Amino acid sequence: MPSTTSTPAQRSAQLPATQFALGWWRRWWRKQTPSRQDRFVTLGPLFAVFLFLAAVVAAFGYLRIEEMDREQEAVRRDVEYAQQRLRLRLIERQEQLMRLGRDVSNKEIEAEEFVSQAEALVNQYPELRAVSWVDARRRVRLSYASPSAGQSTVRGSGDQIKSGETEASFALARDIKQPVYSRPIISESDTRYKTGTLQLHVPMNEQGRFVGVIVGEYALDGLLRFGVPTEVSAKYAVALLDDQGQLLAGGLPPQRSKAARLLPWTDAAPEYEVPVSPVGNGLLIRAQSYRASLGVIGSGFFWLVSALSVLTVWMLLGTWRHTRRRVQAQEALITETNFRRAMENSMLTGMRALDLQGRITYVNPAFCQMTGWDEQELVGLVAPFPYWPEKDRELLSARLDDELQGRSTPGGFEVRVKRKNGSIFDARMYVSPLIDPRGQQAGWMTSMTDITEPKRIREELSNSYERFTTVLEGLDAAVSVAPLGSEEMLFANKMYRAWFGAHVMGHMNLIALAGVPAANPSNDALDAVDGLAGLPTDSLTAAMTENAEIFITELGKWLEVRSRYLTWVDGRLAQMVIATDITPRRRAEEQSALQAERAQSASRLITMGEMASSVAHELNQPLTAINNYCNGMVTRIQRKTISTEELLVALDKTGRQAHRAGQIIQRIRSFVKRSEPNRSMSDVATMVSNALELADIELRRHHVRLSHYSAARLPNIMVDPILIEQVLINLMKNAAESIEQAKRPNSRRTVELRVVPKQIEKQSVVEFSIVDSGKGLSEEVSARLYEAFYSTKAEGMGIGLKLCRSIVESHLGRLDAENLYNGKEVVGCRFTFWLPVNPLLAVSSTAAEPAGVKDGKSTL
């Protein structure tokens, strides 16, 4: 390439920012006097050394603070863990004392058994020092204290609790009828040893009347010793304090300020305290870690690193002075060389320069990489060049003559280029005059770009378009595209043309029947200006409209129509409609809905069949009473010993018994009769009452007590009342059978139904819960609970719970089941389902209907 010259201003404008700043620095340095240069050389390294030392000190400070934060976080986690362990231990003792108080208030245990249970609690749990039974007059009825307890803890039967002794706790427990913890009490009966105690007052009520408390006294040192985990007490000094900071149990070293802990040679340990729940803020647990060493950043390590830093600074200064002059000498040459080399090597376009006679004077590395020829092999050559294919040499020679004559094409031209290894690739060349700094033409500059890949991509896109069109033509759905505000048809596949022909009317009819808004053509369509020009298209083309199912009478088919706005290739806003034949699916859905309706009716018949004996027994009572009344009236009429008033009374009683039997039969008939699904605004209390009337018959047969609670002012809900009653009856019947299988005693054979309003998933719902005292659900049963035709009963069909779940989900609700535990023992099971008050809000928050449900009907 011919050399060119440029002014400093032009060259600085072409340099990157970094190179320009470096050049400016060199020019500024040369303008300085030698004395200023020496002063800068002297002060510059010192400033750098100062910054280095400051960075080292800041790093040590940051590491020290970070280490303190880690230690403090570890103490906090361990103290909160110990607090949770203490809380769980106190709650366990509280529940045991509440159970003991409940037995005493229910008069289920005698005095000897109370003392034995209290002794067992005190002996089993060392932190529990004494258990006392105090009546409502503050008189100790019975008490048991640990042999190791102090004299102040021992109370005899008949002792009167002093008015000032835990008076507030006793009164608070009596008033709120809840367990109450007292403030920590420090006993100084022995001057050499102070003991801290904590009292728990558990109120006892007999038929709503306060009859006394069960007082449990804890030794705080025992609570600390047995309640705090050993792994925590081994790492920390743990103590219990009151809200005034007075030490109650344990021991702590003296505290040090946080500022002193920042120094690396100090050994101050982190600490943390938290209130003990459920006692409250009156009892705090504090822990302080034992410092066995100075940590990672110790004093020795600190001074060692400091000395090494000073040594490093001294060595850096010496090295910098030694290499300063060499770097300055090499800097200018390296910068200029790297700049020119980067300019040449960074170009991806091949560059070739020809003189006026057509001889190659310059090629860049990109041109050599494309052709495979070296710069030494190409510079100085004349036509024909070695990268010309043999078959194209005549054509390329003619083009070269045109270039030399100045007849080159401004848009460039495509040529075939041969690499050194003989392979051929396609390229596009652009030719422009090469002008020297004096403004005279020195030759021709040619740029070459490899277009093999773009050309291949264009061919693949063309083939892809052809394949895509073939796929659209072969679809079993009608696809059509038409611009908005025009009756022009942009695209229609084979299925569309078979159904509607090639005109746009079928497209417009599909949009109208599906309820998709379409722009009507206006007078602007007659002009050359687009009537929709200027409208934003991003929001329209980004969203797909909802599906619509329509029936086309002319075709006799059900079609699923989907519509979307898109930008056509010419920039116009168009509307694409896809119509799919769903006639077979609609028929299958209708058949499925019919089968689901039959399954629901069959389930109700099965339920009544299983309850047949109970219903017969329930009907037998009024029928027997009617028979007895009739026989008695016949006998007395024959004997003429009955008056008209007595006859009317007997007939009235007979009528009431007949009405009762008729109500039972009518309730059963309404429940089992097959009817179309009918959703309406239904009263929750009426549905619950109807379900209880039928379910109570079966529960009495199993000797199960049924209790229910319905909240006042329950809102009406949009449901099919017969289906919801079916769910309630099935769940209550299953609860009774679970209790029967568990063989519970009569005192524990209960089923509870609760109906309350709630807020679930940001919507108002009505929640139904059925709680039984059976044996619960095993893991295997829980995993297959809603599986069709799976049952744990020998005569069961396995469709009851599956159908219940489908009914609830068809009403946009949810059905769940969980076991109830007393400790680790399963004491029952709870089935809960909820129904939304406003189904429209539930539909808007649900993307699709639940599995097994279509159009509000079960598809089982």
Side-chain angles (χ1 to χ4, degrees), residues 321-483:
R321 290 175 181 176
H322 179 72
T323 59
R324 177 169 53 97
R325 291 180 177 85
R326 177 178 296 179
V327 171
Q328 290 177 352
Q330 294 176 350
E331 185 178 1
L333 179 60
I334 293 175
T335 301
E336 187 69 21
T337 303
N338 291 340
F339 174 73
R340 291 182 177 272
R341 186 175 300 170
M343 287 284 290
E344 296 177 359
N345 296 336
S346 61
M347 294 184 64
L348 299 178
T349 302
M351 305 297 295
R352 180 198 66 181
L354 301 177
D355 59 13
L356 295 176
Q357 288 74 34
R359 181 180 290 105
I360 297 177
T361 60
Y362 169 79
V363 289
N364 70 338
F367 190 92
C368 297
Q369 184 178 3
M370 289 181 185
T371 60
W373 302 87
D374 297 335
E375 183 180 0
Q376 295 79 7
E377 297 174 333
L378 294 177
V379 174
L381 296 180
V382 295
F385 301 120
Y387 51 81
W388 284 2
E390 288 78 2
K391 297 181 180 180
D392 300 338
R393 286 190 176 183
E394 294 182 3
L395 176 62
L396 294 176
S397 296
R399 286 187 179 276
L400 180 60
D401 293 339
D402 293 339
E403 293 178 22
L404 297 177
Q405 298 298 326
R407 297 192 297 267
S408 60
T409 305
F413 54 90
E414 291 187 12
V415 296
R416 298 171 69 244
V417 181
K418 183 179 72 173
R419 295 188 178 93
K420 189 175 182 179
N421 58 9
S423 60
I424 305 296
F425 68 93
D426 296 318
R428 176 172 288 274
M429 287 189 174
Y430 300 88
V431 181
S432 60
L434 180 62
I435 308 300
D436 62 11
R438 294 174 295 181
Q440 298 180 0
Q441 182 175 356
W444 301 92
M445 196 67 180
T446 304
S447 62
M448 183 177 67
T449 305
D450 186 358
I451 62 171
T452 303
E453 187 66 18
K455 191 173 182 179
R456 183 188 62 83
I457 292 175
R458 284 197 301 270
E459 293 176 354
E460 289 185 356
L461 287 176
S462 178
N463 297 333
S464 299
Y465 174 76
E466 183 178 354
R467 291 193 297 268
F468 181 69
T469 304
T470 303
V471 171
L472 288 180
E473 291 291 333
L475 286 177
D476 58 353
V479 181
S480 59
V481 181

Side-chain angles (χ1 to χ4, degrees), residues 29 35-49 317 320-321 324:
W29 179 261
S35 59
R36 289 185 178 181
Q37 292 180 355
D38 293 340
R39 189 182 304 112
F40 184 83
V41 170
T42 303
L43 298 178
L46 295 178
F47 182 74
V49 170
L317 289 175
W320 177 79
R321 290 175 181 176
R324 177 169 53 97

Side-chain angles (χ1 to χ4, degrees), residues 183 241-248 273 281-284 286:
R183 293 179 56 84
L241 303 90
D242 60 8
D243 53 355
Q244 303 297 327
Q246 185 176 3
L247 183 65
L248 301 176
E273 68 180 23
N281 296 329
L283 182 63
L284 306 176
R286 178 187 294 173

Side-chain angles (χ1 to χ4, degrees), residues 535-546:
L535 291 178
T537 60
D538 294 341
S539 58
L540 290 177
T541 58
M544 192 78 177
T545 59
E546 296 183 358

Side-chain angles (χ1 to χ4, degrees), residues 7 80 87 103 122 144 158 217 244 282 323 372 379 435 445 454 474 480 503 505 563 675 678 692 749 793 828:
T7 63
E80 289 180 353
R87 175 179 174 273
D103 294 340
V122 172
Y144 179 81
E217 298 187 35
Q244 303 297 327
T323 59
V379 174
I435 308 300
M445 196 67 180
S480 59
H503 45 79
M505 294 307 299
S563 175
S675 62
N678 182 19
L692 290 174
R749 300 172 73 91
K793 297 179 289 186

Side-chain angles (χ1 to χ4, degrees), residues 100 111-125 128-131 143-147:
L100 180 61
E112 294 79 7
E113 189 173 355
F114 172 84
V115 174
S116 64
Q117 290 189 16
E119 180 180 1
L121 289 175
V122 172
N123 293 335
Q124 184 177 0
Y125 305 106
L128 194 60
R129 178 172 294 181
V131 177
S143 178
Y144 179 81
S146 172

Side-chain angles (χ1 to χ4, degrees), residues 107-400:
K107 299 180 180 180
E108 295 180 2
I109 60 174
E110 300 296 333
E112 294 79 7
E113 189 173 355
F114 172 84
V115 174
S116 64
Q117 290 189 16
E119 180 180 1
L121 289 175
V122 172
N123 293 335
Q124 184 177 0
Y125 305 106
E127 72 273 15
L128 194 60
R129 178 172 294 181
V131 177
S132 303
W133 174 6
V134 181
D135 60 11
R137 298 180 179 180
R138 305 178 185 270
R139 183 179 293 107
V140 178
R141 297 285 300 276
L142 293 171
S143 178
Y144 179 81
S146 172
S148 61
Q151 186 64 30
S152 60
T153 307
V154 179
R155 295 186 178 89
S157 300
D159 291 350
Q160 183 75 23
I161 296 180
K162 300 178 181 179
S163 59
E165 183 180 3
T166 65
E167 181 179 3
S169 303
F170 183 91
L172 185 59
R174 178 191 59 198
D175 296 337
I176 68 175
K177 298 181 180 180
Q178 294 290 334
V180 175
Y181 286 88
S182 69
R183 293 179 56 84
I185 303 172
I186 299 178
S187 175
E188 298 183 359
S189 58
D190 188 353
T191 59
R192 296 172 300 172
Y193 183 72
K194 297 181 180 180
T195 59
T197 60
L198 180 69
Q199 291 186 357
L200 170 61
H201 293 250
V202 179
M204 296 184 297
N205 299 281
E206 182 178 354
Q207 296 181 355
R209 182 175 56 88
F210 178 75
V211 296
V213 297
I214 299 295
V215 180
E217 298 187 35
Y218 297 89
L220 293 179
D221 55 346
L223 188 63
L224 180 66
R225 185 183 305 112
F226 298 100
V228 176
T230 56
E231 62 268 23
V232 175
S233 59
K235 293 167 56 178
Y236 307 96
V238 186
L240 294 176
L241 303 90
D242 60 8
D243 53 355
Q244 303 297 327
Q246 185 176 3
L247 183 65
L248 301 176
L252 292 174
Q255 300 183 8
R256 300 191 63 174
S257 64
K258 187 174 182 180
R261 292 174 56 199
L262 289 174
L263 299 177
W265 51 82
T266 59
D267 58 349
E271 62 183 13
Y272 185 76
E273 68 180 23
V274 66
V276 177
S277 177
V279 178
N281 296 329
L283 182 63
L284 306 176
I285 178 172
R286 178 187 294 173
Q288 182 173 342
S289 64
Y290 300 114
R291 288 298 297 266
S293 64
L294 299 181
V296 178
I297 308 178
S299 59
F301 180 72
F302 176 81
W303 294 117
L304 177 61
V305 173
S306 300
L308 291 177
S309 301
V310 173
L311 181 60
T312 302
V313 170
W314 180 79
M315 294 178 64
L316 289 175
L317 289 175
T319 303
W320 177 79
R321 290 175 181 176
H322 179 72
T323 59
R324 177 169 53 97
R325 291 180 177 85
R326 177 178 296 179
V327 171
Q328 290 177 352
Q330 294 176 350
E331 185 178 1
L333 179 60
I334 293 175
T335 301
E336 187 69 21
T337 303
N338 291 340
F339 174 73
R340 291 182 177 272
R341 186 175 300 170
M343 287 284 290
E344 296 177 359
N345 296 336
S346 61
M347 294 184 64
L348 299 178
T349 302
M351 305 297 295
R352 180 198 66 181
L354 301 177
D355 59 13
L356 295 176
Q357 288 74 34
R359 181 180 290 105
I360 297 177
T361 60
Y362 169 79
V363 289
N364 70 338
F367 190 92
C368 297
Q369 184 178 3
M370 289 181 185
T371 60
W373 302 87
D374 297 335
E375 183 180 0
Q376 295 79 7
E377 297 174 333
L378 294 177
V379 174
L381 296 180
V382 295
F385 301 120
Y387 51 81
W388 284 2
E390 288 78 2
K391 297 181 180 180
D392 300 338
R393 286 190 176 183
E394 294 182 3
L395 176 62
L396 294 176
S397 296
R399 286 187 179 276
L400 180 60

Side-chain angles (χ1 to χ4, degrees), residues 514-526:
V516 180
N520 295 324
S522 60
N523 295 331
D524 294 339
L526 303 177

